[in-house]
Amino acid sequence: MPRPAPDPYWNTNVARHPGILRQVPRGCGHALDVGCGDGLLARKLAGRVRHVTGIDRSPEMIARAREVSGDREDVRFVQADFLACDLPAEGYDFICSVTTVHHMDFTGALLRMRELLRPGGTLVVVGLAREKSVGEWAAFLAAAPVMRVTKAVRRASAPEGMPVAEAEMSYGEVRAAAGRLLPGVRYRRHVLRRYSLVWRKPLTRS
């Protein structure tokens, strides 16, 4: 089996891609990448999913995603506001989002993803939060040397024009809100200043 092509760049978002890909259910038919950017993760998903939709509200990012992806039919890109775009309810077996939900209303974003996910499907959110409590700052300071060295060694970079925004919610606030919105969600804080949420939507009761 041929090895996948190396990533064109690396950063703390790309670092989470392998973990996201491991969560893709077997036989996954339709996947949605929310805040797809230049489509790097969407193209990786296409190696495991029959059809992938990437959505982003940035015209520049969607234009780049379409250009890089060419005329392949297993991936399509939509330029739209995720919270307002017309997407099929319970239409996706797998939904992921990388460092995007802090650009939106957090509650609205998770409720929307929950609505679009099919029963039995998997949701993976990788996000950015801010430090507010003493414990959160202690965790950040302990990880800071590792983060600086890793970014320097890996020559961290991002596509030109990638939208950025400051996170408003703390890690604790994210964990508490996600627990209310997605009962049973698995929360994890990562060294490279990211958190992840993994949730499987319950099967519809008969």
Side-chain angles (χ1 to χ4, degrees), residues 16 20 97-101 124-128 194-197:
R16 301 262 56 89
I20 294 170
S97 178
V98 181
T99 321
T100 299
V101 293
V124 181
V125 174
V126 171
L128 173 66
R194 295 291 183 270
Y195 67 82
S196 62
L197 306 172

Side-chain angles (χ1 to χ4, degrees), residues 10-168:
W10 182 92
N11 55 43
T12 50
N13 294 330
V14 176
R16 301 262 56 89
H17 286 184
I20 294 170
L21 294 171
R22 284 194 292 271
Q23 297 296 333
V24 177
R26 284 189 177 183
C28 185
H30 294 269
L32 177 67
D33 182 7
V34 180
C36 64
D38 66 349
L40 179 59
L41 178 56
R43 288 187 291 274
K44 293 179 182 180
L45 286 168
R48 300 167 182 245
V49 182
R50 289 194 296 275
H51 186 81
V52 180
T53 298
I55 184 170
D56 201 295
R57 65 183 179 186
S58 168
E60 294 79 11
M61 288 295 100
I62 289 296
R64 185 170 303 172
R66 289 170 175 165
E67 179 183 4
V68 175
S69 301
D71 58 357
R72 57 189 302 171
E73 297 181 355
D74 53 352
V75 184
R76 76 180 183 108
F77 295 100
V78 178
Q79 190 267 306
D81 179 349
F82 170 67
L83 296 180
C85 182
D86 183 19
L87 295 168
E90 297 189 347
Y92 302 95
D93 306 292
F94 182 76
I95 298 177
C96 61
S97 178
V98 181
T99 321
T100 299
V101 293
H102 72 284
H103 290 254
M104 301 181 277
D105 174 73
F106 183 84
T107 296
L110 261 60
L111 288 176
R112 178 81 163 129
M113 293 177 195
R114 190 178 74 181
E115 171 195 1
L116 298 176
L117 192 64
R118 285 179 180 150
T122 301
L123 169 64
V124 181
V125 174
V126 171
L128 173 66
R130 64 186 299 180
E131 292 77 16
K132 291 186 180 180
S133 71
V134 173
E136 288 170 349
W137 275 110
F140 168 73
L141 293 173
V146 175
M147 187 162 55
R148 285 196 298 269
V149 170
T150 302
K151 285 184 174 182
V153 171
R154 299 296 302 267
R155 298 180 180 181
S157 64
E160 184 178 351
M162 182 75 77
V164 297
E166 293 292 329
E168 296 296 329

